[in-house]
Coordinates of all heavy atoms in Angstrom, one line a residue:
M1 N -18.7 -10.0 33.6 CA -19.2 -8.6 33.5 C -19.0 -8.0 32.1 O -19.8 -7.6 31.4 CB -18.6 -7.7 34.6 CG -19.5 -7.4 35.7 SD -18.7 -6.2 36.7 CE -20.0 -6.0 37.8
G2 N -17.7 -7.9 31.7 CA -17.3 -7.3 30.5 C -17.0 -8.3 29.4 O -16.4 -7.9 28.4
G3 N -17.5 -9.5 29.5 CA -17.2 -10.6 28.6 C -17.6 -10.3 27.1 O -16.8 -10.4 26.2
P4 N -18.9 -10.1 26.9 CA -19.4 -10.0 25.5 C -18.8 -8.8 24.8 O -18.7 -8.8 23.6 CB -20.9 -9.9 25.6 CG -21.2 -10.3 27.0 CD -20.0 -10.1 27.8
R5 N -18.4 -7.7 25.5 CA -17.9 -6.5 24.8 C -16.5 -6.7 24.4 O -16.1 -6.0 23.5 CB -18.1 -5.3 25.8 CG -19.6 -5.0 26.1 CD -19.7 -3.8 26.9 NE -19.4 -2.6 26.1 CZ -19.0 -1.5 26.6 NH1 -18.8 -1.4 27.9 NH2 -18.7 -0.5 25.8
R6 N -15.7 -7.5 25.0 CA -14.3 -7.6 24.8 C -14.0 -8.1 23.3 O -13.2 -7.5 22.6 CB -13.6 -8.5 25.8 CG -12.1 -8.3 25.8 CD -11.5 -9.1 26.9 NE -10.9 -8.5 28.1 CZ -10.4 -7.4 28.3 NH1 -10.5 -6.5 27.4 NH2 -9.8 -7.0 29.4
P7 N -14.7 -9.1 22.8 CA -14.4 -9.5 21.4 C -14.8 -8.4 20.4 O -14.1 -8.2 19.4 CB -15.2 -10.8 21.2 CG -15.5 -11.3 22.6 CD -15.5 -10.1 23.5
R8 N -15.9 -7.7 20.7 CA -16.3 -6.7 19.9 C -15.3 -5.5 19.8 O -15.0 -4.9 18.8 CB -17.7 -6.2 20.3 CG -18.3 -5.3 19.3 CD -19.7 -5.0 19.7 NE -20.5 -4.6 18.5 CZ -21.7 -4.3 18.5 NH1 -22.4 -4.4 19.6 NH2 -22.3 -3.9 17.4
L9 N -14.7 -5.2 21.0 CA -13.7 -4.1 21.1 C -12.5 -4.6 20.3 O -11.9 -3.8 19.5 CB -13.3 -3.9 22.5 CG -12.2 -2.9 22.8 CD1 -12.6 -1.5 22.3 CD2 -11.8 -2.8 24.2
R10 N -12.1 -5.8 20.4 CA -10.9 -6.3 19.7 C -11.2 -6.2 18.2 O -10.3 -5.9 17.4 CB -10.6 -7.7 20.1 CG -9.4 -8.3 19.4 CD -9.0 -9.7 19.9 NE -8.7 -9.6 21.3 CZ -8.9 -10.6 22.2 NH1 -9.4 -11.7 21.8 NH2 -8.5 -10.5 23.4
E11 N -12.4 -6.6 17.8 CA -12.7 -6.5 16.3 C -12.7 -5.1 15.8 O -12.2 -4.8 14.7 CB -14.1 -7.2 16.1 CG -14.5 -7.4 14.7 CD -15.8 -8.1 14.6 OE1 -15.9 -9.2 15.2 OE2 -16.7 -7.6 13.8
N12 N -13.2 -4.2 16.6 CA -13.2 -2.8 16.2 C -11.8 -2.2 16.1 O -11.5 -1.5 15.2 CB -14.0 -1.9 17.2 CG -15.5 -2.2 17.1 OD1 -16.0 -2.7 16.1 ND2 -16.3 -1.8 18.1
L13 N -10.9 -2.6 17.1 CA -9.5 -2.1 17.0 C -8.8 -2.7 15.8 O -8.0 -2.1 15.1 CB -8.8 -2.5 18.3 CG -9.2 -1.8 19.5 CD1 -8.4 -2.3 20.7 CD2 -8.9 -0.3 19.3
R14 N -9.2 -4.0 15.4 CA -8.6 -4.6 14.2 C -9.0 -3.8 13.0 O -8.3 -3.6 12.0 CB -9.0 -6.0 14.1 CG -8.3 -6.8 13.0 CD -8.6 -8.2 13.0 NE -8.0 -8.8 14.2 CZ -8.5 -9.9 14.8 NH1 -9.5 -10.6 14.2 NH2 -7.9 -10.4 15.9
D15 N -10.3 -3.4 12.9 CA -10.8 -2.6 11.8 C -10.1 -1.3 11.7 O -9.8 -0.9 10.6 CB -12.3 -2.4 11.9 CG -13.1 -3.7 11.7 OD1 -12.6 -4.7 11.1 OD2 -14.3 -3.7 12.1
V16 N -9.9 -0.6 12.8 CA -9.2 0.6 12.8 C -7.8 0.5 12.3 O -7.3 1.2 11.5 CB -9.2 1.3 14.2 CG1 -8.2 2.5 14.3 CG2 -10.6 1.7 14.6
A17 N -7.1 -0.6 12.7 CA -5.7 -0.9 12.3 C -5.7 -1.2 10.8 O -4.8 -0.7 10.0 CB -5.1 -2.0 13.0
L18 N -6.7 -1.9 10.3 CA -6.8 -2.2 8.9 C -7.0 -0.9 8.0 O -6.4 -0.7 7.0 CB -7.9 -3.2 8.6 CG -8.1 -3.7 7.2 CD1 -6.8 -4.4 6.7 CD2 -9.3 -4.6 7.1
F19 N -7.9 -0.1 8.6 CA -8.2 1.2 7.9 C -6.9 2.0 7.8 O -6.6 2.6 6.8 CB -9.2 2.0 8.6 CG -9.5 3.3 8.1 CD1 -10.2 3.5 6.9 CD2 -9.1 4.5 8.7 CE1 -10.5 4.7 6.3 CE2 -9.3 5.7 8.2 CZ -10.0 5.8 7.0
G20 N -6.1 2.0 8.9 CA -4.8 2.8 8.9 C -3.9 2.2 7.8 O -3.1 2.9 7.2
R21 N -3.9 0.9 7.7 CA -3.0 0.3 6.7 C -3.4 0.6 5.3 O -2.6 0.8 4.4 CB -2.9 -1.2 6.9 CG -2.1 -1.5 8.2 CD -2.1 -3.0 8.4 NE -1.3 -3.2 9.7 CZ -1.5 -4.2 10.5 NH1 -2.4 -5.1 10.2 NH2 -0.8 -4.4 11.6
V22 N -4.7 0.7 5.0 CA -5.2 1.1 3.7 C -4.9 2.5 3.4 O -4.4 2.8 2.3 CB -6.8 0.9 3.6 CG1 -7.4 1.5 2.4 CG2 -7.1 -0.6 3.7
I23 N -5.0 3.4 4.4 CA -4.6 4.8 4.2 C -3.1 4.8 3.9 O -2.6 5.6 3.0 CB -4.9 5.6 5.4 CG1 -6.5 5.7 5.6 CG2 -4.3 7.0 5.4 CD1 -7.2 6.4 4.5
S24 N -2.3 4.1 4.6 CA -0.8 4.1 4.4 C -0.5 3.5 3.0 O 0.4 4.0 2.4 CB -0.1 3.4 5.5 OG -0.4 2.0 5.5
G25 N -1.3 2.6 2.5 CA -1.1 2.1 1.2 C -1.4 3.2 0.1 O -0.6 3.3 -0.9
G26 N -2.4 4.0 0.4 CA -2.7 5.1 -0.5 C -1.5 6.2 -0.4 O -1.2 6.8 -1.4
L27 N -1.0 6.4 0.7 CA 0.1 7.3 0.8 C 1.4 6.8 0.1 O 2.2 7.6 -0.4 CB 0.5 7.6 2.3 CG -0.6 8.4 3.1 CD1 -0.2 8.5 4.5 CD2 -0.7 9.8 2.5
V28 N 1.6 5.5 0.1 CA 2.7 4.9 -0.7 C 2.5 5.3 -2.2 O 3.4 5.7 -2.9 CB 2.7 3.4 -0.5 CG1 3.6 2.7 -1.6 CG2 3.2 3.0 0.9
V29 N 1.3 5.1 -2.7 CA 1.0 5.4 -4.1 C 1.2 6.9 -4.3 O 1.8 7.3 -5.3 CB -0.4 5.0 -4.5 CG1 -0.8 5.5 -5.9 CG2 -0.6 3.5 -4.4
A30 N 0.8 7.8 -3.4 CA 1.0 9.2 -3.6 C 2.4 9.6 -3.5 O 2.9 10.5 -4.3 CB 0.2 9.9 -2.5
G31 N 3.2 8.9 -2.7 CA 4.6 9.1 -2.6 C 5.3 8.8 -4.0 O 6.2 9.5 -4.4
Y32 N 4.9 7.7 -4.6 CA 5.5 7.3 -5.9 C 5.1 8.3 -6.9 O 5.9 8.7 -7.8 CB 5.2 5.9 -6.3 CG 6.1 4.9 -5.6 CD1 5.6 4.1 -4.6 CD2 7.3 4.7 -6.1 CE1 6.5 3.1 -4.0 CE2 8.2 3.8 -5.6 CZ 7.7 3.0 -4.5 OH 8.6 2.0 -4.0
A33 N 3.9 8.8 -6.9 CA 3.4 9.8 -7.8 C 4.2 11.1 -7.7 O 4.7 11.7 -8.7 CB 1.9 10.1 -7.6
F34 N 4.5 11.5 -6.4 CA 5.3 12.7 -6.2 C 6.7 12.5 -6.7 O 7.3 13.4 -7.3 CB 5.3 13.1 -4.7 CG 6.2 14.2 -4.4 CD1 5.7 15.5 -4.7 CD2 7.4 14.0 -3.8 CE1 6.6 16.6 -4.4 CE2 8.2 15.1 -3.5 CZ 7.8 16.4 -3.8
A35 N 7.3 11.3 -6.4 CA 8.6 11.0 -6.9 C 8.7 11.0 -8.4 O 9.7 11.5 -9.0 CB 9.1 9.7 -6.3
G36 N 7.6 10.5 -9.1 CA 7.6 10.5 -10.5 C 7.6 11.9 -11.1 O 8.3 12.2 -12.1
V37 N 6.8 12.8 -10.5 CA 6.8 14.2 -11.0 C 8.1 14.9 -10.7 O 8.7 15.6 -11.6 CB 5.6 15.0 -10.3 CG1 5.7 16.5 -10.6 CG2 4.3 14.4 -10.7
Y38 N 8.7 14.7 -9.6 CA 10.0 15.2 -9.2 C 11.1 14.7 -10.2 O 11.9 15.5 -10.7 CB 10.3 14.9 -7.8 CG 11.6 15.5 -7.3 CD1 11.6 16.9 -6.9 CD2 12.8 14.8 -7.2 CE1 12.8 17.5 -6.5 CE2 14.0 15.4 -6.8 CZ 13.9 16.8 -6.4 OH 15.1 17.3 -6.0
L39 N 11.1 13.4 -10.5 CA 12.0 12.9 -11.4 C 11.8 13.4 -12.8 O 12.8 13.7 -13.5 CB 11.9 11.3 -11.4 CG 12.9 10.6 -12.2 CD1 14.4 10.9 -11.8 CD2 12.6 9.1 -12.1
A40 N 10.6 13.6 -13.2 CA 10.3 14.1 -14.6 C 10.8 15.5 -14.7 O 11.4 15.9 -15.7 CB 8.8 14.0 -14.8
R41 N 10.6 16.3 -13.7 CA 11.2 17.7 -13.7 C 12.7 17.7 -13.8 O 13.3 18.5 -14.5 CB 10.7 18.5 -12.5 CG 9.2 18.8 -12.6 CD 8.7 19.6 -11.4 NE 9.5 20.8 -11.4 CZ 9.0 22.0 -11.4 NH1 7.7 22.2 -11.3 NH2 9.7 23.1 -11.3
W42 N 13.3 16.8 -13.1 CA 14.8 16.7 -13.1 C 15.2 16.3 -14.5 O 16.2 16.8 -15.0 CB 15.2 15.7 -12.0 CG 16.7 15.6 -11.9 CD1 17.6 16.4 -11.3 CD2 17.5 14.5 -12.6 NE1 18.9 15.9 -11.5 CE2 18.8 14.8 -12.2 CE3 17.2 13.4 -13.3 CZ2 19.9 14.0 -12.7 CZ3 18.2 12.6 -13.8 CH2 19.6 12.9 -13.5
L43 N 14.5 15.3 -15.1 CA 14.9 14.8 -16.4 C 14.7 15.9 -17.4 O 15.6 16.0 -18.3 CB 14.1 13.6 -16.8 CG 14.3 12.3 -16.0 CD1 13.2 11.2 -16.4 CD2 15.7 11.7 -16.3
E44 N 13.7 16.7 -17.3 CA 13.4 17.8 -18.2 C 14.5 18.8 -18.1 O 15.0 19.3 -19.1 CB 12.1 18.4 -17.9 CG 11.7 19.5 -18.9 CD 10.3 20.1 -18.6 OE1 10.0 20.2 -17.4 OE2 9.6 20.4 -19.6
G45 N 15.0 19.1 -16.9 CA 16.1 20.1 -16.7 C 17.4 19.6 -17.2 O 18.2 20.4 -17.6
K46 N 17.6 18.3 -17.3 CA 18.8 17.7 -17.8 C 18.8 17.6 -19.3 O 19.8 17.2 -19.9 CB 19.1 16.4 -17.2 CG 19.4 16.4 -15.7 CD 20.8 17.1 -15.5 CE 21.2 17.1 -14.0 NZ 22.5 17.7 -13.8
G47 N 17.6 17.8 -19.9 CA 17.5 17.8 -21.4 C 17.1 16.4 -22.0 O 17.4 16.2 -23.1
Y48 N 16.6 15.6 -21.2 CA 16.1 14.3 -21.7 C 14.9 14.4 -22.6 O 14.3 15.5 -22.6 CB 15.7 13.3 -20.5 CG 16.9 12.7 -19.8 CD1 17.6 13.4 -18.8 CD2 17.3 11.5 -20.2 CE1 18.7 12.8 -18.2 CE2 18.4 10.9 -19.5 CZ 19.1 11.6 -18.5 OH 20.2 11.0 -17.9
P49 N 14.7 13.5 -23.5 CA 13.6 13.6 -24.5 C 12.2 13.7 -23.8 O 12.0 13.2 -22.7 CB 13.7 12.3 -25.3 CG 14.9 11.6 -24.9 CD 15.4 12.2 -23.7
N50 N 11.4 14.5 -24.5 CA 10.0 14.7 -24.0 C 9.2 13.5 -23.7 O 8.4 13.4 -22.8 CB 9.3 15.7 -24.9 CG 9.8 17.1 -24.8 OD1 10.4 17.5 -23.8 ND2 9.6 17.9 -25.8
W51 N 9.4 12.5 -24.6 CA 8.6 11.2 -24.4 C 8.9 10.6 -23.1 O 8.1 10.0 -22.4 CB 8.8 10.3 -25.6 CG 10.1 9.7 -25.7 CD1 11.1 10.3 -26.5 CD2 10.7 8.6 -25.1 NE1 12.3 9.5 -26.4 CE2 12.0 8.4 -25.5 CE3 10.2 7.6 -24.2 CZ2 12.8 7.4 -25.1 CZ3 11.0 6.6 -23.8 CH2 12.3 6.5 -24.2
L52 N 10.2 10.6 -22.7 CA 10.7 10.0 -21.4 C 10.1 10.8 -20.3 O 9.7 10.3 -19.3 CB 12.2 9.9 -21.4 CG 12.8 9.2 -20.1 CD1 12.3 7.8 -20.0 CD2 14.3 9.3 -20.2
V53 N 10.2 12.1 -20.4 CA 9.7 13.0 -19.3 C 8.2 12.8 -19.1 O 7.8 12.8 -18.0 CB 10.1 14.5 -19.7 CG1 9.4 15.4 -18.7 CG2 11.6 14.7 -19.7
S54 N 7.5 12.7 -20.2 CA 6.0 12.5 -20.0 C 5.6 11.1 -19.6 O 4.5 11.0 -19.0 CB 5.3 12.8 -21.4 OG 5.7 11.9 -22.3
L55 N 6.5 10.1 -19.8 CA 6.1 8.8 -19.3 C 6.6 8.5 -17.9 O 6.2 7.5 -17.3 CB 6.7 7.7 -20.2 CG 6.0 7.6 -21.6 CD1 6.7 6.6 -22.4 CD2 4.6 7.2 -21.4
T56 N 7.4 9.3 -17.3 CA 8.0 9.1 -16.0 C 6.9 9.1 -14.9 O 6.8 8.2 -14.1 CB 9.1 10.0 -15.7 OG1 10.1 9.9 -16.7 CG2 9.7 9.8 -14.3
P57 N 6.1 10.1 -14.8 CA 5.0 10.1 -13.7 C 4.1 9.0 -13.8 O 3.8 8.3 -12.8 CB 4.3 11.5 -13.9 CG 5.3 12.4 -14.5 CD 6.1 11.5 -15.4
P58 N 3.5 8.7 -15.0 CA 2.6 7.5 -15.0 C 3.3 6.2 -14.7 O 2.7 5.3 -14.0 CB 2.1 7.5 -16.5 CG 2.3 8.8 -17.0 CD 3.5 9.4 -16.3
G59 N 4.6 6.1 -15.1 CA 5.3 4.9 -14.8 C 5.5 4.7 -13.3 O 5.4 3.6 -12.7
A60 N 5.8 5.8 -12.6 CA 6.0 5.8 -11.2 C 4.7 5.5 -10.5 O 4.7 4.8 -9.5 CB 6.6 7.2 -10.7
V61 N 3.6 6.0 -11.0 CA 2.3 5.8 -10.4 C 1.9 4.3 -10.5 O 1.4 3.7 -9.6 CB 1.2 6.7 -11.0 CG1 -0.2 6.2 -10.6 CG2 1.4 8.1 -10.5
L62 N 2.2 3.7 -11.7 CA 1.9 2.3 -11.9 C 2.7 1.4 -11.0 O 2.2 0.5 -10.4 CB 2.1 1.9 -13.3 CG 1.1 2.4 -14.3 CD1 1.5 2.1 -15.8 CD2 -0.3 1.8 -14.0
F63 N 4.0 1.8 -10.8 CA 4.8 1.1 -9.9 C 4.3 1.2 -8.4 O 4.3 0.2 -7.7 CB 6.3 1.6 -9.9 CG 7.2 0.8 -9.1 CD1 7.7 -0.5 -9.5 CD2 7.7 1.3 -7.9 CE1 8.5 -1.2 -8.7 CE2 8.6 0.6 -7.1 CZ 9.0 -0.7 -7.5
G64 N 3.9 2.4 -8.0 CA 3.3 2.6 -6.7 C 2.0 1.9 -6.5 O 1.8 1.3 -5.4
L65 N 1.2 1.8 -7.5 CA 0.0 1.0 -7.4 C 0.3 -0.5 -7.2 O -0.4 -1.2 -6.4 CB -0.9 1.2 -8.7 CG -1.7 2.5 -8.8 CD1 -2.3 2.6 -10.2 CD2 -2.7 2.6 -7.7
W66 N 1.3 -0.9 -7.9 CA 1.7 -2.3 -7.8 C 2.2 -2.6 -6.4 O 1.8 -3.6 -5.8 CB 2.8 -2.7 -8.8 CG 3.3 -4.0 -8.7 CD1 2.6 -5.2 -8.8 CD2 4.7 -4.4 -8.6 NE1 3.5 -6.3 -8.7 CE2 4.8 -5.8 -8.5 CE3 5.8 -3.6 -8.5 CZ2 6.0 -6.4 -8.4 CZ3 7.0 -4.3 -8.3 CH2 7.1 -5.7 -8.3
Q67 N 3.0 -1.7 -5.8 CA 3.5 -1.9 -4.5 C 2.4 -1.8 -3.5 O 2.4 -2.6 -2.5 CB 4.6 -0.8 -4.2 CG 5.9 -1.0 -4.9 CD 6.6 -2.2 -4.6 OE1 6.8 -2.5 -3.4 NE2 6.9 -3.0 -5.6
G68 N 1.5 -0.9 -3.6 CA 0.3 -0.8 -2.7 C -0.5 -2.0 -2.8 O -1.0 -2.5 -1.8
W69 N -0.7 -2.6 -4.0 CA -1.5 -3.8 -4.2 C -0.9 -5.0 -3.5 O -1.5 -5.7 -2.8 CB -1.7 -4.1 -5.6 CG -2.5 -5.3 -5.9 CD1 -1.9 -6.6 -6.3 CD2 -3.9 -5.5 -5.8 NE1 -2.9 -7.5 -6.4 CE2 -4.1 -6.9 -6.1 CE3 -4.9 -4.7 -5.4 CZ2 -5.4 -7.4 -6.1 CZ3 -6.2 -5.2 -5.4 CH2 -6.4 -6.6 -5.7
L70 N 0.5 -5.1 -3.6 CA 1.2 -6.2 -2.9 C 1.1 -6.0 -1.4 O 0.9 -7.0 -0.7 CB 2.6 -6.2 -3.3 CG 3.0 -6.6 -4.7 CD1 4.5 -6.5 -5.0 CD2 2.5 -8.1 -4.9
F71 N 1.2 -4.8 -0.9 CA 1.1 -4.5 0.5 C -0.3 -4.9 1.1 O -0.4 -5.6 2.1 CB 1.3 -3.1 0.8 CG 1.2 -2.6 2.2 CD1 2.0 -3.0 3.2 CD2 0.1 -1.8 2.5 CE1 1.9 -2.6 4.5 CE2 -0.1 -1.4 3.8 CZ 0.8 -1.8 4.8
L72 N -1.4 -4.5 0.3 CA -2.7 -4.8 0.8 C -3.1 -6.3 0.7 O -3.8 -6.8 1.5 CB -3.7 -3.9 0.1 CG -3.6 -2.4 0.5 CD1 -4.6 -1.6 -0.3 CD2 -3.9 -2.2 2.0
T73 N -2.7 -6.9 -0.4 CA -3.0 -8.4 -0.6 C -2.3 -9.2 0.5 O -2.8 -10.2 1.0 CB -2.7 -8.9 -2.0 OG1 -1.4 -8.6 -2.3 CG2 -3.7 -8.2 -3.0
R74 N -1.0 -8.9 0.7 CA -0.3 -9.6 1.8 C -1.0 -9.4 3.1 O -1.1 -10.3 3.9 CB 1.1 -9.1 1.8 CG 2.1 -10.0 2.5 CD 3.5 -9.5 2.4 NE 3.9 -9.1 1.0 CZ 4.5 -7.9 0.8 NH1 4.9 -7.1 1.7 NH2 4.8 -7.6 -0.5
L75 N -1.4 -8.2 3.4 CA -2.1 -7.9 4.6 C -3.4 -8.7 4.8 O -3.7 -9.3 5.8 CB -2.4 -6.4 4.7 CG -3.2 -5.9 5.9 CD1 -2.3 -6.1 7.2 CD2 -3.6 -4.5 5.7
T76 N -4.2 -8.7 3.7 CA -5.5 -9.4 3.8 C -5.3 -10.9 3.8 O -6.1 -11.6 4.5 CB -6.4 -9.1 2.5 OG1 -5.7 -9.4 1.3 CG2 -6.8 -7.6 2.5
R77 N -4.3 -11.4 3.2 CA -4.0 -12.8 3.3 C -3.6 -13.2 4.7 O -4.0 -14.2 5.3 CB -2.8 -13.2 2.4 CG -2.5 -14.7 2.3 CD -1.4 -15.1 1.4 NE -1.5 -14.5 0.1 CZ -0.6 -13.8 -0.5 NH1 0.5 -13.5 0.0 NH2 -0.8 -13.3 -1.7
R78 N -2.8 -12.4 5.4 CA -2.4 -12.6 6.8 C -3.6 -12.5 7.7 O -3.8 -13.4 8.6 CB -1.4 -11.5 7.2 CG -0.8 -11.8 8.5 CD 0.3 -10.8 8.9 NE 1.2 -10.6 7.9 CZ 1.8 -9.4 7.6 NH1 1.4 -8.4 8.2 NH2 2.6 -9.3 6.6
E79 N -4.5 -11.5 7.5 CA -5.8 -11.4 8.3 C -6.6 -12.7 8.1 O -7.2 -13.2 9.1 CB -6.6 -10.2 7.9 CG -6.0 -8.9 8.3 CD -6.2 -8.7 9.8 OE1 -7.2 -9.1 10.3 OE2 -5.3 -8.1 10.4
R80 N -6.8 -13.1 6.9 CA -7.6 -14.3 6.6 C -7.0 -15.6 7.3 O -7.7 -16.4 7.8 CB -7.7 -14.5 5.1 CG -8.7 -15.7 4.7 CD -8.8 -15.8 3.2 NE -7.5 -15.9 2.6 CZ -7.2 -15.3 1.5 NH1 -8.1 -14.7 0.8 NH2 -6.0 -15.4 1.0
D81 N -5.7 -15.7 7.2 CA -5.0 -16.8 7.8 C -5.2 -16.8 9.3 O -5.4 -17.9 10.0 CB -3.5 -16.9 7.5 CG -3.2 -17.3 6.1 OD1 -4.2 -17.8 5.4 OD2 -2.1 -17.1 5.6
E82 N -5.1 -15.6 9.9 CA -5.3 -15.5 11.4 C -6.8 -15.9 11.8 O -7.0 -16.5 12.8 CB -5.0 -14.1 11.9 CG -3.5 -13.9 11.9 CD -3.2 -12.4 12.3 OE1 -4.1 -11.7 12.7 OE2 -2.0 -12.1 12.4
R83 N -7.7 -15.4 10.9 CA -9.1 -15.7 11.2 C -9.4 -17.2 11.1 O -10.2 -17.8 11.9 CB -10.0 -14.9 10.2 CG -11.2 -14.4 10.8 CD -12.1 -13.6 9.9 NE -11.3 -12.7 9.0 CZ -11.4 -12.8 7.6 NH1 -12.2 -13.7 7.1 NH2 -10.7 -12.0 6.9
E84 N -8.8 -17.9 10.1 CA -9.0 -19.3 9.9 C -8.2 -20.2 10.8 O -8.4 -21.4 10.9 CB -8.7 -19.7 8.5 CG -9.7 -19.1 7.5 CD -9.3 -19.3 6.0 OE1 -8.2 -19.9 5.8 OE2 -10.1 -19.0 5.1
G85 N -7.3 -19.5 11.6 CA -6.5 -20.3 12.5 C -5.3 -20.9 12.0 O -4.7 -21.8 12.6
G86 N -4.9 -20.5 10.8 CA -3.7 -21.0 10.1 C -2.4 -20.5 10.8 O -1.4 -21.2 10.8
G87 N -2.4 -19.3 11.4 CA -1.3 -18.8 12.1 C -0.3 -18.1 11.3 O 0.3 -17.1 11.7
G88 N -0.2 -18.4 10.0 CA 0.8 -17.7 9.2 C 0.8 -18.2 7.8 O 0.2 -19.2 7.5
H89 N 1.5 -17.5 6.9 CA 1.6 -17.9 5.5 C 3.0 -18.4 5.3 O 4.0 -17.6 5.5 CB 1.2 -16.8 4.6 CG 1.1 -17.2 3.2 ND1 0.0 -18.0 2.8 CD2 1.8 -16.9 2.1 CE1 0.1 -18.1 1.5 NE2 1.2 -17.5 1.1
E90 N 3.2 -19.5 4.7 CA 4.6 -20.1 4.5 C 5.0 -19.7 3.1 O 4.3 -20.1 2.1 CB 4.6 -21.6 4.7 CG 4.3 -22.0 6.1 CD 4.3 -23.5 6.2 OE1 4.9 -24.2 5.3 OE2 3.8 -24.0 7.2
N91 N 6.1 -19.0 3.0 CA 6.7 -18.7 1.7 C 8.2 -18.8 1.8 O 8.8 -18.4 2.7 CB 6.3 -17.3 1.2 CG 5.0 -17.3 0.4 OD1 4.5 -18.4 0.1 ND2 4.6 -16.2 0.0

């Protein structure tokens, strides 16, 4: 009775979960951006040089982008391995 709809439901739930993980990756980047601004303000208050204060937020954003990229590529690799029947990634 409900046979053909079940795989489609599972696929839709997997898409929703993947979308949630992409959103959380974006929130990771935003968190690092916020931390960079907060750290830059703290450095400015302590009297650190202006070049360091101005490079802190972009540096934190680049680090956040790198972390988000690692998170998403690891996730897509795992999804691909499950789809191909590999079961997992050995590292």
Side-chain angles (χ1 to χ4, degrees):
M1 256 190 177
R5 295 184 72 206
R6 199 174 250 333
R8 192 170 201 181
L9 177 64
R10 183 177 294 150
E11 189 175 308
N12 288 342
L13 289 176
R14 187 176 295 157
D15 288 344
V16 168
L18 183 61
F19 177 73
R21 289 178 181 151
V22 169
I23 294 297
S24 65
L27 290 174
V28 165
V29 175
Y32 277 106
F34 177 76
V37 169
Y38 185 79
L39 182 61
R41 290 183 58 126
W42 181 82
L43 291 172
E44 186 179 33
K46 293 290 185 179
Y48 281 85
N50 285 337
W51 65 268
L52 181 62
V53 172
S54 64
L55 287 179
T56 301
V61 168
L62 287 174
F63 185 76
L65 285 170
W66 177 57
Q67 291 297 308
W69 178 258
L70 288 177
F71 175 71
L72 291 176
T73 55
R74 200 173 313 134
L75 176 69
T76 55
R77 185 180 308 129
R78 189 178 309 141
E79 287 284 326
R80 185 179 50 219
D81 287 347
E82 286 177 4
R83 220 178 321 121
E84 293 174 354
H89 190 68
E90 296 180 20
N91 272 355

